[in-house]
Amino acid sequence: MHVHAATTLSAETIKARFNQIGLAGSASTTPLRYAGERQPPKFFLPGMPVTPPAAAEVSITEKSGGADVVLRLMWGSFPAPFPRALAGIGLVLGLLILVFSDHTVSSWLLAAIFIVAPVTALFCQRQGERVLQSSLSNMLDGAVFRPISH
């Protein structure tokens, strides 16, 4: 999933602001971590111990009167749709277990794990995406990220 923001800031100003996050390290007030040395550069949020962190590859394109910033939202090293697919598969497997099981407590617990774990991962990913976009929006003087087709 890609999100796009147009800003009046120059590409160099944006890169300088992003690099300040990378230089600040753990002393920064933002939860973001910037890996500017990667190709393409990437932002990370701290993740829960059992889930990959929300992340985004960033692309900055100079245009007349400002710049465009495009984020490719990710779940660790996976593309952003991965946790959505995982939640769907978990829901289907959980329902199949309920339908074809002997309705014992163990089968109900197994079905609940298959349903709840991926949905929780999806919730964490969506929350991370919102935090990431909000933090970067503040750095871009309030530019709003909107989904784009890719």
Side-chain angles (χ1 to χ4, degrees):
M1 177 175 182
H2 291 70
V3 291
H4 167 267
T7 180
T8 58
L9 299 171
S10 70
E12 292 303 316
T13 303
I14 294 169
K15 289 177 186 174
R17 288 183 182 186
F18 288 172
N19 284 326
Q20 286 176 348
I21 291 175
L23 297 175
S26 60
S28 177
T29 59
T30 180
L32 294 176
R33 298 295 169 252
Y34 181 61
E37 71 281 352
R38 295 179 65 130
Q39 203 55 309
K42 198 170 186 179
F43 283 99
F44 294 96
L45 282 174
M48 293 175 43
V50 293
T51 63
E57 291 178 347
V58 63
S59 171
I60 303 167
T61 307
E62 187 78 39
K63 68 175 188 175
S64 62
D68 288 334
V69 179
V70 176
L71 299 177
R72 178 178 178 239
L73 299 174
M74 303 181 78
W75 191 52
S77 59
F78 300 108
F82 186 78
R84 292 161 182 79
L86 187 65
I89 291 169
L91 180 64
V92 169
L93 287 176
L95 292 174
L96 286 174
I97 289 170
L98 288 176
V99 169
F100 295 113
S101 71
D102 53 358
H103 300 290
T104 62
V105 173
S106 61
S107 63
W108 283 93
L109 287 174
L110 183 62
I113 289 171
F114 271 100
I115 293 171
V116 172
V119 170
T120 302
L122 176 62
F123 175 76
C124 292
Q125 170 65 20
R126 297 292 295 168
Q127 185 67 25
E129 289 174 3
R130 284 190 287 275
V131 168
L132 200 144
Q133 290 177 44
S134 162
S135 297
L136 291 178
S137 179
N138 291 339
M139 293 179 65
L140 299 174
D141 295 341
V144 178
F145 285 96
R146 302 194 191 296
I148 59 169
S149 60
H150 52 283

